[in-house]
Amino acid sequence: NHGRLSMTSTAPAPRPASVTTVVVLTWIVAILSVIGGVLALVLGSDDLAVADLDESTVTIYGWTEIVVGVLIALVAVGLSRGSGFARVLVSALMAVRVGMGVWAIVQLPNGAITGSATIAVAVLILFLLWNSKASAFFRTN
């Protein structure tokens, strides 16, 4: 050994910028989801100019946004620490976000902008979360 410490296990990989970006984006998505859900619940279908949707549909959408936002916030911490479970969970939640974006495009007046933005951010997060540097980080942590 000649005075060197022997390493029997692999040192954790440093967190790549792509994962840090995902953590920040994940927190932003979580906060925006909660805000959007609260606004849907508080304003309802009349104030949101979605009179063609009944109040129960808007309520379900609002609560879904809040629940998804809270779940995303809870796993953001795990992502920052390299949790593979958090990575898979955020990936699944981003898939749900893509579905919600499609729903917004199809169902909401002027939903093309918000729905497209929802989809774009979710796809970006998925790309950043599953690139080769991110994969190396999650493998060693």
Side-chain angles (χ1 to χ4, degrees):
N1 277 339
H2 303 299
R4 290 188 215 167
L5 294 174
S6 72
M7 296 182 66
T8 56
S9 64
T10 305
R15 184 170 66 202
S18 64
V19 174
T20 300
T21 301
V22 169
V23 171
V24 171
L25 288 174
T26 302
W27 275 107
I28 291 169
V29 168
I31 291 165
L32 292 176
S33 290
V34 171
I35 290 170
V38 169
L39 286 175
L41 293 174
V42 170
L43 298 177
S45 61
D46 292 335
D47 291 333
L48 290 175
V50 288
D52 57 326
L53 294 178
D54 61 53
E55 196 67 32
S56 66
T57 300
V58 173
T59 300
I60 291 168
Y61 179 79
W63 280 112
T64 302
E65 278 280 18
I66 291 168
V67 169
V68 168
V70 168
L71 289 173
I72 292 170
L74 291 173
V75 296
V77 173
L79 277 178
S80 69
R81 295 179 180 158
S83 165
F85 176 73
R87 181 188 194 200
V88 170
L89 189 54
V90 167
S91 298
L93 290 169
M94 289 304 114
V96 169
R97 298 279 308 151
V98 167
M100 292 174 76
V102 170
W103 182 87
I105 291 169
V106 172
Q107 294 293 325
L108 300 176
N110 304 319
I113 294 171
T114 57
S116 296
T118 296
I119 293 167
V121 171
V123 168
L124 175 63
I125 287 172
L126 287 169
F127 171 76
L128 293 172
L129 202 53
W130 291 93
N131 68 38
S132 60
K133 288 182 181 178
S135 292
F137 170 70
F138 286 103
R139 240 188 334 270
T140 61
N141 288 303

